[in-house]
Amino acid sequence: MDKFLIRGGKPLSGKISVSGAKNSALPCLAAPLLTSETVILHNVPYVKDLITQRRLLEDLGATVLTPELRTHKVTAANIEIFEAPYELVKTMRASVLALGPLLARFGKAKVSLPGGCAIGTRPIDLHLKAFEKLGAQVSIESGDVIARAPNGRLIGAVVDFEKVTVTGTENVLMAAALAKGKTTIRNAACEPEIADLAELLNKMGARIRGAGTPTIEIEGVEQLGGAEHTIIPDRIETGTFLVAGAITGGELEVKDCEPQHLRAVIEKMREAGVEIEELNQSTLLVRRNQTGLKASDVSTEPHPHFPTDMQAQFMALMTQAEGTSTITETIFENRFMHASELIRLGAKIDISGNTAKVHGKSALMGAPVLASDLRASASIVLAGLAASGETVVDRVYHIDRGYENIVRKLRTVGADIVRITDQLTMSAGEEV
Ligand code: EPZ
């Protein structure tokens, strides 16, 4: 398994670019299943999860052409299989996003029930309840979700989510676009990725209003057509790079980002003593101010509040702040796996239930550490960049799932990081 070798303690400086949003590209790549016409997506990040999503589409019978690495031309004209198998779903739970489009267009779908993952049990009960609200018959058989629309078509309805769910909202949005009549989603997720998906669906001929707010209204249409769409920048990658600049005491220009999408993160980092300047609509300049970092409390919540996907990276930053920060994780029940690895690097962190107390400022020292999930791996890479000496991060396949060319990007701004591949060959520049 690949590892990263990081020699830390160097302030990062220069320009670093943000790729397209993984969590928007995943649902946007499922949306072409709703039509037989071609959908063209630009700014698709070249990360493992999107390669898996592409494979799922091809296994279902769609064609996916990539005239350029980050442009996908998807045509789902000859869908013969209506099943997302366990082999794929177990590697990427977002495969569940095929359920809504297949059910809506073909009246049937079979998707393996995603198991739990490192950060929590993550059930999809709310997705299934919503499909039943739209008239589907849903059963679980041998670990698979079997869903059928009795008259071959879903019926519009009011879907009231008892809990905010991002992919749940996206699945219902895609299903309702082809349902008969009107659907209203209440307590919908408001993440920017939802509005991006809705923008694509409306370009395909859907009638969606209110995406990005807690109440979304969808007038179902008979059929959808082709479209061309550019995926929004990845706000979590943006936040990760902002922390990289601050935690190393460097000065970074984070380009091709959308500052609007991570207001809560920017505010919280400014509160902690980080200077973040908007150079223009798509560029942020980050540096630590003279007085250094100070402890700040944070609690994760659905958008527009502080995102759970930035919790681990912010914890790493708080290990370098004066004072004690309290970090509360309210979305996932097991999302502190990175804390024990940060402690291995010399951080002082006490965990109790869903709260972590980070006692700063700690002098971090390089050590071998283990990645457990996507954002945890980002957190320990950031800490490794701030630590003195060498840090070896194992199981970096987690970070490859959601960060495009992270070694190359960090090296362009002065990080001393290399990927050690299985063949024991050290490759500085090239990324797989
Ligand atoms: C999306 O996951 C993101 N993934 C996650 O990003 C992100 O952490 C999460 O939203 C929260 O922002 C993608 O978009 C592909 P949820 P999702 O449904 O949709 C519970 C990353 O690092 N719940 O909003 O799966 C659930 O267990 C990933 O890029 C139910 O109980 O998350 C959780 O506690 C990690 N039943 C909460 O709701 C359901 O049917 C929010 O989950 C659905 C969810």
Side-chain angles (χ1 to χ4, degrees), residues 21 59 74 89 92 115 179 186-187 216 337 346 383 391 412:
D59 285 358
V74 186
V89 177
M92 184 188 67
R186 293 200 189 119
N187 198 28
I216 306 177
M337 303 281 277
T391 295
T412 58

Side-chain angles (χ1 to χ4, degrees), residues 22-23 26 93-94 119 122-127 163-168 170 191 308-309 331-333 335 374-375:
K22 166 184 81 81
N23 289 347
L26 286 168
R93 44 179 319 102
I119 64 176
R122 304 183 71 181
I124 59 164
D125 57 320
L126 302 176
H127 299 228
K163 202 174 182 179
V164 170
T165 162
V166 174
T167 48
E170 292 163 347
E191 272 66 7
T308 172
D309 293 349
I331 308 287
F332 292 109
E333 66 272 23
R335 203 168 203 181
L374 171 59
R375 308 305 171 183

Side-chain angles (χ1 to χ4, degrees), residues 21 23-25 27-28 31 41 165-167 169-171 173-174 185 188-204 206-216 229-233 235 258 260-261 303:
N23 289 347
S24 179
C28 285
L41 297 174
T165 162
V166 174
T167 48
T169 302
E170 292 163 347
N171 239 334
L173 208 51
M174 292 189 277
I185 306 177
C190 303
E191 272 66 7
E193 294 78 25
I194 307 275
D196 202 32
L197 172 64
E199 194 187 322
L200 166 62
L201 293 170
N202 281 342
K203 284 179 184 170
M204 294 167 67
R207 294 201 200 125
I208 300 169
R209 283 193 312 278
T213 77
T215 305
I216 306 177
H229 183 67
T230 300
I231 302 288
I232 55 175
R235 63 195 165 97
E258 175 47 87
Q260 290 299 335
H261 292 168
H303 192 85

